[in-house]
Amino acid sequence: MRLSCNHLNLQPIPTSAYPTPAKRPAYSVLDKSKIKSVFGVDAKDWKESLIKVK
């Protein structure tokens, strides 16, 4: 499988331009400790996982 995004024109927007009903923290990261302790799965960083898809 190969991903090709040459045709996409993505533009960053500030959070204020995309209002949501729930308040979101300014900075948050996914805590992967539970999946590791319960299932023994070591979830890799998303960037590392994305490289494997390319």
Side-chain angles (χ1 to χ4, degrees):
M1 175 201 249
R2 184 174 178 180
L3 298 177
S4 176
C5 299
N6 296 336
H7 64 283
L8 298 178
N9 182 17
L10 298 178
Q11 299 294 320
I13 62 169
T15 303
S16 60
Y18 190 77
T20 59
K23 291 191 179 225
R24 305 286 184 222
Y27 176 77
S28 66
V29 293
L30 180 62
D31 179 3
K32 302 177 281 185
S33 62
K34 186 172 182 180
I35 194 167
K36 185 173 185 175
S37 67
V38 173
F39 298 104
V41 174
D42 188 20
K44 303 292 183 206
D45 179 73
W46 70 270
K47 292 177 186 174
E48 184 180 334
S49 297
L50 185 60
I51 289 170
K52 292 179 182 180
V53 175
K54 289 183 180 181

mmCIF file of all heavy atoms in Angstrom:
data_model
loop_
_atom_site.group_PDB
_atom_site.id
_atom_site.type_symbol
_atom_site.label_atom_id
_atom_site.label_comp_id
_atom_site.label_asym_id
_atom_site.label_seq_id
_atom_site.Cartn_x
_atom_site.Cartn_y
_atom_site.Cartn_z
ATOM 1 N N MET A 1 0.846 -1.172 0.000
ATOM 2 C CA MET A 1 0.000 0.000 0.000
ATOM 3 C C MET A 1 0.890 1.233 0.000
ATOM 4 O O MET A 1 1.831 1.325 0.765
ATOM 5 C CB MET A 1 -0.894 0.012 1.231
ATOM 6 C CG MET A 1 -1.695 1.267 1.329
ATOM 7 S SD MET A 1 -2.251 1.562 2.995
ATOM 8 C CE MET A 1 -3.948 1.320 2.866
ATOM 9 N N ARG A 2 0.574 2.169 -0.834
ATOM 10 C CA ARG A 2 1.343 3.398 -0.894
ATOM 11 C C ARG A 2 0.388 4.584 -0.834
ATOM 12 O O ARG A 2 -0.628 4.605 -1.531
ATOM 13 C CB ARG A 2 2.152 3.443 -2.171
ATOM 14 C CG ARG A 2 3.027 4.657 -2.231
ATOM 15 C CD ARG A 2 3.929 4.623 -3.407
ATOM 16 N NE ARG A 2 4.677 5.880 -3.377
ATOM 17 C CZ ARG A 2 5.558 6.230 -4.238
ATOM 18 N NH1 ARG A 2 5.842 5.425 -5.226
ATOM 19 N NH2 ARG A 2 6.172 7.375 -4.145
ATOM 20 N N LEU A 3 0.727 5.555 -0.015
ATOM 21 C CA LEU A 3 -0.090 6.760 0.088
ATOM 22 C C LEU A 3 0.539 7.870 -0.737
ATOM 23 O O LEU A 3 1.728 8.120 -0.632
ATOM 24 C CB LEU A 3 -0.192 7.215 1.545
ATOM 25 C CG LEU A 3 -0.853 6.244 2.509
ATOM 26 C CD1 LEU A 3 -0.818 6.809 3.914
ATOM 27 C CD2 LEU A 3 -2.281 5.970 2.099
ATOM 28 N N SER A 4 -0.256 8.495 -1.537
ATOM 29 C CA SER A 4 0.216 9.612 -2.332
ATOM 30 C C SER A 4 -0.680 10.806 -2.044
ATOM 31 O O SER A 4 -1.879 10.768 -2.295
ATOM 32 C CB SER A 4 0.175 9.280 -3.817
ATOM 33 O OG SER A 4 0.549 10.414 -4.558
ATOM 34 N N CYS A 5 -0.105 11.859 -1.531
ATOM 35 C CA CYS A 5 -0.882 13.048 -1.162
ATOM 36 C C CYS A 5 -0.482 14.250 -2.000
ATOM 37 O O CYS A 5 -0.612 15.385 -1.571
ATOM 38 C CB CYS A 5 -0.698 13.338 0.323
ATOM 39 S SG CYS A 5 -1.251 12.008 1.382
ATOM 40 N N ASN A 6 0.012 14.002 -3.193
ATOM 41 C CA ASN A 6 0.454 15.107 -4.041
ATOM 42 C C ASN A 6 -0.687 16.025 -4.459
ATOM 43 O O ASN A 6 -0.466 17.188 -4.748
ATOM 44 C CB ASN A 6 1.144 14.556 -5.295
ATOM 45 C CG ASN A 6 2.404 13.806 -4.960
ATOM 46 O OD1 ASN A 6 3.006 14.042 -3.919
ATOM 47 N ND2 ASN A 6 2.802 12.892 -5.821
ATOM 48 N N HIS A 7 -1.896 15.532 -4.491
ATOM 49 C CA HIS A 7 -3.033 16.320 -4.958
ATOM 50 C C HIS A 7 -3.722 17.105 -3.831
ATOM 51 O O HIS A 7 -4.629 17.863 -4.089
ATOM 52 C CB HIS A 7 -4.042 15.417 -5.648
ATOM 53 C CG HIS A 7 -4.650 14.403 -4.730
ATOM 54 N ND1 HIS A 7 -3.977 13.270 -4.337
ATOM 55 C CD2 HIS A 7 -5.841 14.373 -4.106
ATOM 56 C CE1 HIS A 7 -4.749 12.577 -3.512
ATOM 57 N NE2 HIS A 7 -5.883 13.214 -3.365
ATOM 58 N N LEU A 8 -3.282 16.921 -2.599
ATOM 59 C CA LEU A 8 -3.926 17.595 -1.468
ATOM 60 C C LEU A 8 -3.308 18.963 -1.222
ATOM 61 O O LEU A 8 -2.104 19.148 -1.339
ATOM 62 C CB LEU A 8 -3.788 16.752 -0.200
ATOM 63 C CG LEU A 8 -4.450 15.388 -0.229
ATOM 64 C CD1 LEU A 8 -4.182 14.663 1.072
ATOM 65 C CD2 LEU A 8 -5.939 15.511 -0.479
ATOM 66 N N ASN A 9 -4.144 19.898 -0.871
ATOM 67 C CA ASN A 9 -3.684 21.234 -0.510
ATOM 68 C C ASN A 9 -4.172 21.506 0.910
ATOM 69 O O ASN A 9 -5.206 22.138 1.113
ATOM 70 C CB ASN A 9 -4.221 22.269 -1.489
ATOM 71 C CG ASN A 9 -3.720 23.663 -1.163
ATOM 72 O OD1 ASN A 9 -2.760 23.834 -0.420
ATOM 73 N ND2 ASN A 9 -4.369 24.666 -1.710
ATOM 74 N N LEU A 10 -3.456 20.993 1.885
ATOM 75 C CA LEU A 10 -3.846 21.154 3.278
ATOM 76 C C LEU A 10 -3.302 22.453 3.841
ATOM 77 O O LEU A 10 -2.136 22.785 3.649
ATOM 78 C CB LEU A 10 -3.302 19.982 4.107
ATOM 79 C CG LEU A 10 -3.809 18.605 3.719
ATOM 80 C CD1 LEU A 10 -3.146 17.551 4.582
ATOM 81 C CD2 LEU A 10 -5.314 18.525 3.831
ATOM 82 N N GLN A 11 -4.162 23.151 4.522
ATOM 83 C CA GLN A 11 -3.783 24.418 5.133
ATOM 84 C C GLN A 11 -4.060 24.333 6.630
ATOM 85 O O GLN A 11 -5.163 23.970 7.037
ATOM 86 C CB GLN A 11 -4.586 25.575 4.531
ATOM 87 C CG GLN A 11 -4.378 25.771 3.048
ATOM 88 C CD GLN A 11 -2.969 26.212 2.729
ATOM 89 O OE1 GLN A 11 -2.399 27.025 3.435
ATOM 90 N NE2 GLN A 11 -2.405 25.653 1.673
ATOM 91 N N PRO A 12 -3.088 24.672 7.459
ATOM 92 C CA PRO A 12 -3.329 24.650 8.899
ATOM 93 C C PRO A 12 -4.301 25.756 9.301
ATOM 94 O O PRO A 12 -4.348 26.820 8.670
ATOM 95 C CB PRO A 12 -1.945 24.895 9.499
ATOM 96 C CG PRO A 12 -1.176 25.594 8.436
ATOM 97 C CD PRO A 12 -1.737 25.105 7.122
ATOM 98 N N ILE A 13 -5.097 25.480 10.321
ATOM 99 C CA ILE A 13 -6.009 26.489 10.859
ATOM 100 C C ILE A 13 -5.856 26.501 12.376
ATOM 101 O O ILE A 13 -5.514 25.490 12.979
ATOM 102 C CB ILE A 13 -7.484 26.212 10.481
ATOM 103 C CG1 ILE A 13 -7.960 24.873 11.080
ATOM 104 C CG2 ILE A 13 -7.679 26.244 8.978
ATOM 105 C CD1 ILE A 13 -9.454 24.661 10.977
ATOM 106 N N PRO A 14 -6.121 27.638 12.991
ATOM 107 C CA PRO A 14 -6.066 27.679 14.456
ATOM 108 C C PRO A 14 -7.290 26.975 15.051
ATOM 109 O O PRO A 14 -8.324 26.821 14.381
ATOM 110 C CB PRO A 14 -6.087 29.171 14.773
ATOM 111 C CG PRO A 14 -6.754 29.797 13.601
ATOM 112 C CD PRO A 14 -6.401 28.941 12.410
ATOM 113 N N THR A 15 -7.180 26.533 16.262
ATOM 114 C CA THR A 15 -8.285 25.868 16.942
ATOM 115 C C THR A 15 -9.526 26.750 16.964
ATOM 116 O O THR A 15 -10.649 26.254 16.842
ATOM 117 C CB THR A 15 -7.871 25.505 18.380
ATOM 118 O OG1 THR A 15 -6.705 24.688 18.312
ATOM 119 C CG2 THR A 15 -8.964 24.747 19.099
ATOM 120 N N SER A 16 -9.342 28.045 17.079
ATOM 121 C CA SER A 16 -10.476 28.964 17.133
ATOM 122 C C SER A 16 -11.303 28.954 15.840
ATOM 123 O O SER A 16 -12.474 29.296 15.852
ATOM 124 C CB SER A 16 -9.996 30.385 17.413
ATOM 125 O OG SER A 16 -9.104 30.814 16.387
ATOM 126 N N ALA A 17 -10.720 28.532 14.743
ATOM 127 C CA ALA A 17 -11.446 28.478 13.471
ATOM 128 C C ALA A 17 -12.259 27.199 13.327
ATOM 129 O O ALA A 17 -13.001 27.037 12.367
ATOM 130 C CB ALA A 17 -10.464 28.608 12.311
ATOM 131 N N TYR A 18 -12.102 26.274 14.261
ATOM 132 C CA TYR A 18 -12.832 25.004 14.217
ATOM 133 C C TYR A 18 -13.443 24.740 15.580
ATOM 134 O O TYR A 18 -12.949 23.939 16.359
ATOM 135 C CB TYR A 18 -11.874 23.873 13.820
ATOM 136 C CG TYR A 18 -12.578 22.577 13.517
ATOM 137 C CD1 TYR A 18 -13.246 22.390 12.325
ATOM 138 C CD2 TYR A 18 -12.582 21.542 14.437
ATOM 139 C CE1 TYR A 18 -13.893 21.205 12.033
ATOM 140 C CE2 TYR A 18 -13.224 20.345 14.162
ATOM 141 C CZ TYR A 18 -13.869 20.186 12.967
ATOM 142 O OH TYR A 18 -14.499 19.010 12.684
ATOM 143 N N PRO A 19 -14.533 25.445 15.901
ATOM 144 C CA PRO A 19 -15.131 25.297 17.229
ATOM 145 C C PRO A 19 -15.749 23.912 17.438
ATOM 146 O O PRO A 19 -16.296 23.329 16.500
ATOM 147 C CB PRO A 19 -16.192 26.389 17.261
ATOM 148 C CG PRO A 19 -16.522 26.659 15.840
ATOM 149 C CD PRO A 19 -15.276 26.362 15.050
ATOM 150 N N THR A 20 -15.619 23.399 18.627
ATOM 151 C CA THR A 20 -16.224 22.111 18.993
ATOM 152 C C THR A 20 -17.013 22.286 20.277
ATOM 153 O O THR A 20 -16.731 23.178 21.075
ATOM 154 C CB THR A 20 -15.143 21.035 19.210
ATOM 155 O OG1 THR A 20 -14.267 21.467 20.241
ATOM 156 C CG2 THR A 20 -14.348 20.767 17.950
ATOM 157 N N PRO A 21 -18.021 21.443 20.510
ATOM 158 C CA PRO A 21 -18.831 21.575 21.723
ATOM 159 C C PRO A 21 -18.041 21.311 23.006
ATOM 160 O O PRO A 21 -18.304 21.907 24.020
ATOM 161 C CB PRO A 21 -19.930 20.542 21.565
ATOM 162 C CG PRO A 21 -19.717 19.849 20.282
ATOM 163 C CD PRO A 21 -18.513 20.412 19.623
ATOM 164 N N ALA A 22 -17.057 20.442 22.934
ATOM 165 C CA ALA A 22 -16.277 20.117 24.137
ATOM 166 C C ALA A 22 -15.021 20.965 24.204
ATOM 167 O O ALA A 22 -14.389 21.224 23.188
ATOM 168 C CB ALA A 22 -15.892 18.641 24.117
ATOM 169 N N LYS A 23 -14.677 21.389 25.403
ATOM 170 C CA LYS A 23 -13.437 22.137 25.574
ATOM 171 C C LYS A 23 -12.276 21.163 25.472
ATOM 172 O O LYS A 23 -12.323 20.056 25.999
ATOM 173 C CB LYS A 23 -13.414 22.850 26.917
ATOM 174 C CG LYS A 23 -14.402 23.979 26.980
ATOM 175 C CD LYS A 23 -14.173 24.810 28.212
ATOM 176 C CE LYS A 23 -15.188 25.936 28.194
ATOM 177 N NZ LYS A 23 -14.612 27.206 28.508
ATOM 178 N N ARG A 24 -11.255 21.557 24.772
ATOM 179 C CA ARG A 24 -10.080 20.734 24.577
ATOM 180 C C ARG A 24 -8.879 21.394 25.250
ATOM 181 O O ARG A 24 -8.758 22.610 25.253
ATOM 182 C CB ARG A 24 -9.770 20.562 23.091
ATOM 183 C CG ARG A 24 -10.933 20.019 22.290
ATOM 184 C CD ARG A 24 -11.119 18.545 22.580
ATOM 185 N NE ARG A 24 -12.181 17.998 21.747
ATOM 186 C CZ ARG A 24 -13.094 17.160 22.180
ATOM 187 N NH1 ARG A 24 -13.100 16.781 23.429
ATOM 188 N NH2 ARG A 24 -14.015 16.696 21.386
ATOM 189 N N PRO A 25 -7.991 20.580 25.800
ATOM 190 C CA PRO A 25 -6.787 21.157 26.404
ATOM 191 C C PRO A 25 -5.893 21.746 25.314
ATOM 192 O O PRO A 25 -5.915 21.296 24.164
ATOM 193 C CB PRO A 25 -6.112 19.964 27.080
ATOM 194 C CG PRO A 25 -6.664 18.765 26.402
ATOM 195 C CD PRO A 25 -8.037 19.131 25.927
ATOM 196 N N ALA A 26 -5.118 22.735 25.680
ATOM 197 C CA ALA A 26 -4.207 23.356 24.719
ATOM 198 C C ALA A 26 -3.137 22.370 24.270
ATOM 199 O O ALA A 26 -2.679 22.400 23.140
ATOM 200 C CB ALA A 26 -3.570 24.592 25.339
ATOM 201 N N TYR A 27 -2.740 21.461 25.156
ATOM 202 C CA TYR A 27 -1.729 20.451 24.816
ATOM 203 C C TYR A 27 -2.137 19.139 25.464
ATOM 204 O O TYR A 27 -2.383 19.081 26.663
ATOM 205 C CB TYR A 27 -0.344 20.874 25.330
ATOM 206 C CG TYR A 27 0.702 19.824 25.099
ATOM 207 C CD1 TYR A 27 1.252 19.633 23.843
ATOM 208 C CD2 TYR A 27 1.124 18.998 26.130
ATOM 209 C CE1 TYR A 27 2.206 18.664 23.619
ATOM 210 C CE2 TYR A 27 2.079 18.016 25.921
ATOM 211 C CZ TYR A 27 2.619 17.855 24.658
ATOM 212 O OH TYR A 27 3.562 16.890 24.438
ATOM 213 N N SER A 28 -2.225 18.109 24.677
ATOM 214 C CA SER A 28 -2.527 16.798 25.238
ATOM 215 C C SER A 28 -1.825 15.728 24.420
ATOM 216 O O SER A 28 -1.605 15.880 23.229
ATOM 217 C CB SER A 28 -4.034 16.547 25.252
ATOM 218 O OG SER A 28 -4.522 16.470 23.937
ATOM 219 N N VAL A 29 -1.457 14.673 25.078
ATOM 220 C CA VAL A 29 -0.844 13.536 24.408
ATOM 221 C C VAL A 29 -1.580 12.280 24.839
ATOM 222 O O VAL A 29 -2.172 12.231 25.919
ATOM 223 C CB VAL A 29 0.664 13.392 24.734
ATOM 224 C CG1 VAL A 29 1.459 14.547 24.162
ATOM 225 C CG2 VAL A 29 0.898 13.289 26.220
ATOM 226 N N LEU A 30 -1.543 11.279 23.995
ATOM 227 C CA LEU A 30 -2.210 10.025 24.290
ATOM 228 C C LEU A 30 -1.384 9.226 25.285
ATOM 229 O O LEU A 30 -0.210 8.959 25.057
ATOM 230 C CB LEU A 30 -2.397 9.219 23.003
ATOM 231 C CG LEU A 30 -3.075 7.869 23.135
ATOM 232 C CD1 LEU A 30 -4.500 8.040 23.655
ATOM 233 C CD2 LEU A 30 -3.079 7.153 21.799
ATOM 234 N N ASP A 31 -1.992 8.863 26.397
ATOM 235 C CA ASP A 31 -1.335 8.022 27.393
ATOM 236 C C ASP A 31 -1.511 6.572 26.966
ATOM 237 O O ASP A 31 -2.617 6.041 26.969
ATOM 238 C CB ASP A 31 -1.952 8.256 28.774
ATOM 239 C CG ASP A 31 -1.323 7.397 29.851
ATOM 240 O OD1 ASP A 31 -0.363 6.651 29.552
ATOM 241 O OD2 ASP A 31 -1.791 7.465 30.993
ATOM 242 N N LYS A 32 -0.418 5.940 26.569
ATOM 243 C CA LYS A 32 -0.470 4.572 26.049
ATOM 244 C C LYS A 32 -0.132 3.538 27.116
ATOM 245 O O LYS A 32 0.004 2.361 26.805
ATOM 246 C CB LYS A 32 0.492 4.446 24.877
ATOM 247 C CG LYS A 32 0.197 5.435 23.755
ATOM 248 C CD LYS A 32 1.197 5.341 22.645
ATOM 249 C CE LYS A 32 2.458 6.060 23.037
ATOM 250 N NZ LYS A 32 3.461 6.137 21.989
ATOM 251 N N SER A 33 -0.035 3.935 28.370
ATOM 252 C CA SER A 33 0.389 3.013 29.424
ATOM 253 C C SER A 33 -0.639 1.911 29.690
ATOM 254 O O SER A 33 -0.273 0.768 29.964
ATOM 255 C CB SER A 33 0.696 3.766 30.715
ATOM 256 O OG SER A 33 -0.456 4.424 31.194
ATOM 257 N N LYS A 34 -1.927 2.202 29.569
ATOM 258 C CA LYS A 34 -2.948 1.194 29.863
ATOM 259 C C LYS A 34 -2.951 0.076 28.820
ATOM 260 O O LYS A 34 -3.038 -1.106 29.163
ATOM 261 C CB LYS A 34 -4.326 1.830 29.960
ATOM 262 C CG LYS A 34 -5.391 0.848 30.408
ATOM 263 C CD LYS A 34 -6.713 1.524 30.677
ATOM 264 C CE LYS A 34 -7.739 0.530 31.179
ATOM 265 N NZ LYS A 34 -9.026 1.166 31.455
ATOM 266 N N ILE A 35 -2.864 0.432 27.553
ATOM 267 C CA ILE A 35 -2.864 -0.611 26.519
ATOM 268 C C ILE A 35 -1.630 -1.504 26.658
ATOM 269 O O ILE A 35 -1.671 -2.700 26.415
ATOM 270 C CB ILE A 35 -2.976 -0.019 25.089
ATOM 271 C CG1 ILE A 35 -3.320 -1.115 24.095
ATOM 272 C CG2 ILE A 35 -1.723 0.694 24.668
ATOM 273 C CD1 ILE A 35 -3.750 -0.635 22.735
ATOM 274 N N LYS A 36 -0.527 -0.897 27.111
ATOM 275 C CA LYS A 36 0.687 -1.683 27.310
ATOM 276 C C LYS A 36 0.535 -2.621 28.505
ATOM 277 O O LYS A 36 0.881 -3.805 28.428
ATOM 278 C CB LYS A 36 1.898 -0.772 27.504
ATOM 279 C CG LYS A 36 3.188 -1.532 27.584
ATOM 280 C CD LYS A 36 4.389 -0.613 27.599
ATOM 281 C CE LYS A 36 5.668 -1.425 27.566
ATOM 282 N NZ LYS A 36 6.841 -0.590 27.473
ATOM 283 N N SER A 37 -0.016 -2.118 29.614
ATOM 284 C CA SER A 37 -0.133 -2.948 30.811
ATOM 285 C C SER A 37 -1.217 -4.021 30.680
ATOM 286 O O SER A 37 -1.056 -5.129 31.167
ATOM 287 C CB SER A 37 -0.407 -2.084 32.045
ATOM 288 O OG SER A 37 -1.676 -1.475 31.968
ATOM 289 N N VAL A 38 -2.317 -3.725 29.997
ATOM 290 C CA VAL A 38 -3.416 -4.681 29.874
ATOM 291 C C VAL A 38 -3.157 -5.711 28.769
ATOM 292 O O VAL A 38 -3.355 -6.905 28.964
ATOM 293 C CB VAL A 38 -4.757 -3.951 29.617
ATOM 294 C CG1 VAL A 38 -5.870 -4.936 29.321
ATOM 295 C CG2 VAL A 38 -5.117 -3.087 30.819
ATOM 296 N N PHE A 39 -2.702 -5.249 27.606
ATOM 297 C CA PHE A 39 -2.569 -6.140 26.457
ATOM 298 C C PHE A 39 -1.122 -6.461 26.080
ATOM 299 O O PHE A 39 -0.879 -7.262 25.184
ATOM 300 C CB PHE A 39 -3.271 -5.532 25.235
ATOM 301 C CG PHE A 39 -4.742 -5.341 25.438
ATOM 302 C CD1 PHE A 39 -5.275 -4.080 25.676
ATOM 303 C CD2 PHE A 39 -5.607 -6.424 25.399
ATOM 304 C CE1 PHE A 39 -6.628 -3.895 25.859
ATOM 305 C CE2 PHE A 39 -6.972 -6.257 25.585
ATOM 306 C CZ PHE A 39 -7.480 -4.994 25.824
ATOM 307 N N GLY A 40 -0.175 -5.795 26.719
ATOM 308 C CA GLY A 40 1.225 -6.032 26.382
ATOM 309 C C GLY A 40 1.617 -5.462 25.031
ATOM 310 O O GLY A 40 2.592 -5.885 24.428
ATOM 311 N N VAL A 41 0.844 -4.487 24.566
ATOM 312 C CA VAL A 41 1.113 -3.874 23.268
ATOM 313 C C VAL A 41 1.914 -2.601 23.480
ATOM 314 O O VAL A 41 1.529 -1.735 24.261
ATOM 315 C CB VAL A 41 -0.216 -3.528 22.546
ATOM 316 C CG1 VAL A 41 0.046 -2.766 21.264
ATOM 317 C CG2 VAL A 41 -1.010 -4.783 22.278
ATOM 318 N N ASP A 42 3.026 -2.504 22.778
ATOM 319 C CA ASP A 42 3.842 -1.294 22.849
ATOM 320 C C ASP A 42 3.496 -0.429 21.642
ATOM 321 O O ASP A 42 4.023 -0.627 20.549
ATOM 322 C CB ASP A 42 5.325 -1.655 22.861
ATOM 323 C CG ASP A 42 6.216 -0.459 23.123
ATOM 324 O OD1 ASP A 42 5.714 0.552 23.651
ATOM 325 O OD2 ASP A 42 7.408 -0.536 22.807
ATOM 326 N N ALA A 43 2.561 0.491 21.806
ATOM 327 C CA ALA A 43 2.115 1.350 20.707
ATOM 328 C C ALA A 43 3.228 2.321 20.348
ATOM 329 O O ALA A 43 3.722 3.060 21.190
ATOM 330 C CB ALA A 43 0.856 2.110 21.115
ATOM 331 N N LYS A 44 3.619 2.287 19.103
ATOM 332 C CA LYS A 44 4.702 3.139 18.621
ATOM 333 C C LYS A 44 4.204 4.566 18.412
ATOM 334 O O LYS A 44 3.017 4.833 18.332
ATOM 335 C CB LYS A 44 5.257 2.603 17.298
ATOM 336 C CG LYS A 44 5.738 1.184 17.370
ATOM 337 C CD LYS A 44 6.963 1.069 18.237
ATOM 338 C CE LYS A 44 7.476 -0.369 18.232
ATOM 339 N NZ LYS A 44 8.207 -0.724 19.386
ATOM 340 N N ASP A 45 5.153 5.460 18.283
ATOM 341 C CA ASP A 45 4.855 6.853 17.959
ATOM 342 C C ASP A 45 4.168 6.902 16.591
ATOM 343 O O ASP A 45 4.515 6.131 15.691
ATOM 344 C CB ASP A 45 6.158 7.650 17.929
ATOM 345 C CG ASP A 45 5.924 9.102 17.583
ATOM 346 O OD1 ASP A 45 5.402 9.829 18.450
ATOM 347 O OD2 ASP A 45 6.248 9.498 16.445
ATOM 348 N N TRP A 46 3.212 7.777 16.408
ATOM 349 C CA TRP A 46 2.455 7.828 15.157
ATOM 350 C C TRP A 46 3.346 8.109 13.960
ATOM 351 O O TRP A 46 3.111 7.601 12.866
ATOM 352 C CB TRP A 46 1.316 8.844 15.244
ATOM 353 C CG TRP A 46 1.742 10.265 15.292
ATOM 354 C CD1 TRP A 46 2.020 11.008 16.399
ATOM 355 C CD2 TRP A 46 1.959 11.156 14.172
ATOM 356 N NE1 TRP A 46 2.385 12.281 16.056
ATOM 357 C CE2 TRP A 46 2.357 12.388 14.697
ATOM 358 C CE3 TRP A 46 1.857 11.007 12.806
ATOM 359 C CZ2 TRP A 46 2.660 13.486 13.893
ATOM 360 C CZ3 TRP A 46 2.151 12.093 12.000
ATOM 361 C CH2 TRP A 46 2.545 13.318 12.534
ATOM 362 N N LYS A 47 4.391 8.907 14.154
ATOM 363 C CA LYS A 47 5.287 9.204 13.028
ATOM 364 C C LYS A 47 6.030 7.948 12.591
ATOM 365 O O LYS A 47 6.195 7.702 11.400
ATOM 366 C CB LYS A 47 6.266 10.299 13.414
ATOM 367 C CG LYS A 47 5.616 11.656 13.616
ATOM 368 C CD LYS A 47 6.623 12.677 14.071
ATOM 369 C CE LYS A 47 5.944 13.989 14.420
ATOM 370 N NZ LYS A 47 6.864 14.954 14.984
ATOM 371 N N GLU A 48 6.467 7.161 13.545
ATOM 372 C CA GLU A 48 7.155 5.901 13.236
ATOM 373 C C GLU A 48 6.218 4.944 12.504
ATOM 374 O O GLU A 48 6.611 4.274 11.546
ATOM 375 C CB GLU A 48 7.672 5.263 14.519
ATOM 376 C CG GLU A 48 8.483 4.017 14.301
ATOM 377 C CD GLU A 48 8.986 3.417 15.608
ATOM 378 O OE1 GLU A 48 9.143 4.156 16.604
ATOM 379 O OE2 GLU A 48 9.216 2.206 15.625
ATOM 380 N N SER A 49 4.977 4.872 12.942
ATOM 381 C CA SER A 49 3.991 3.999 12.300
ATOM 382 C C SER A 49 3.672 4.468 10.885
ATOM 383 O O SER A 49 3.475 3.662 9.979
ATOM 384 C CB SER A 49 2.719 3.947 13.122
ATOM 385 O OG SER A 49 2.965 3.380 14.386
ATOM 386 N N LEU A 50 3.622 5.781 10.667
ATOM 387 C CA LEU A 50 3.318 6.322 9.346
ATOM 388 C C LEU A 50 4.430 5.990 8.362
ATOM 389 O O LEU A 50 4.168 5.687 7.199
ATOM 390 C CB LEU A 50 3.104 7.827 9.427
ATOM 391 C CG LEU A 50 2.659 8.523 8.149
ATOM 392 C CD1 LEU A 50 1.331 7.952 7.672
ATOM 393 C CD2 LEU A 50 2.535 10.013 8.366
ATOM 394 N N ILE A 51 5.656 5.991 8.797
ATOM 395 C CA ILE A 51 6.784 5.651 7.919
ATOM 396 C C ILE A 51 6.623 4.236 7.380
ATOM 397 O O ILE A 51 6.924 3.969 6.220
ATOM 398 C CB ILE A 51 8.125 5.810 8.677
ATOM 399 C CG1 ILE A 51 8.397 7.296 8.909
ATOM 400 C CG2 ILE A 51 9.267 5.174 7.900
ATOM 401 C CD1 ILE A 51 9.560 7.566 9.843
ATOM 402 N N LYS A 52 6.109 3.335 8.201
ATOM 403 C CA LYS A 52 5.916 1.950 7.769
ATOM 404 C C LYS A 52 4.861 1.837 6.670
ATOM 405 O O LYS A 52 4.888 0.919 5.878
ATOM 406 C CB LYS A 52 5.511 1.075 8.963
ATOM 407 C CG LYS A 52 6.617 0.922 9.967
ATOM 408 C CD LYS A 52 6.148 0.072 11.137
ATOM 409 C CE LYS A 52 7.242 -0.039 12.171
ATOM 410 N NZ LYS A 52 6.811 -0.865 13.306
ATOM 411 N N VAL A 53 3.920 2.772 6.587
ATOM 412 C CA VAL A 53 2.855 2.734 5.592
ATOM 413 C C VAL A 53 3.362 3.220 4.244
ATOM 414 O O VAL A 53 2.926 2.759 3.207
ATOM 415 C CB VAL A 53 1.649 3.593 6.044
ATOM 416 C CG1 VAL A 53 0.592 3.668 4.969
ATOM 417 C CG2 VAL A 53 1.075 3.045 7.330
ATOM 418 N N LYS A 54 4.285 4.140 4.257
ATOM 419 C CA LYS A 54 4.778 4.730 3.000
ATOM 420 C C LYS A 54 5.448 3.717 2.121
ATOM 421 O O LYS A 54 6.078 2.830 2.409
ATOM 422 C CB LYS A 54 5.719 5.885 3.287
ATOM 423 C CG LYS A 54 5.002 7.083 3.832
ATOM 424 C CD LYS A 54 5.963 8.203 4.024
ATOM 425 C CE LYS A 54 5.267 9.422 4.559
ATOM 426 N NZ LYS A 54 6.150 10.532 4.737
#
